[in-house]
Amino acid sequence: MTGMELHCDTCARQRNFERPARSDHPRATCPDRACTACGAAIVVAPVILLMDRRSRVTLQQGRRKAA
């Protein structure tokens, strides 16, 4: 496991964080980290961009007939 020092919000100090041992992760390098002192996790999730794929509707003003 590769360790790095990061600020732990639970411990309120610099702590060593390591990758958790996971066999279900599809990539060889898991981006998530866990504090070695208290076990608090930093989960790195991919950014997901949601787009509205509905077709746009344009409103046209109706024509009024002069009375």
Side-chain angles (χ1 to χ4, degrees), residues 17-57:
F17 278 75
E18 293 183 347
R19 284 190 191 126
R22 293 175 49 174
S23 60
D24 64 337
H25 200 275
R27 293 182 283 160
T29 58
C30 177
D32 302 339
R33 302 281 190 252
C35 177
T36 56
C38 70
I42 296 176
V43 180
V44 180
V47 176
I48 299 173
L49 177 64
L50 299 176
M51 297 175 62
D52 187 6
R53 296 187 183 266
R54 294 178 287 182
S55 61
R56 298 196 183 274
V57 176

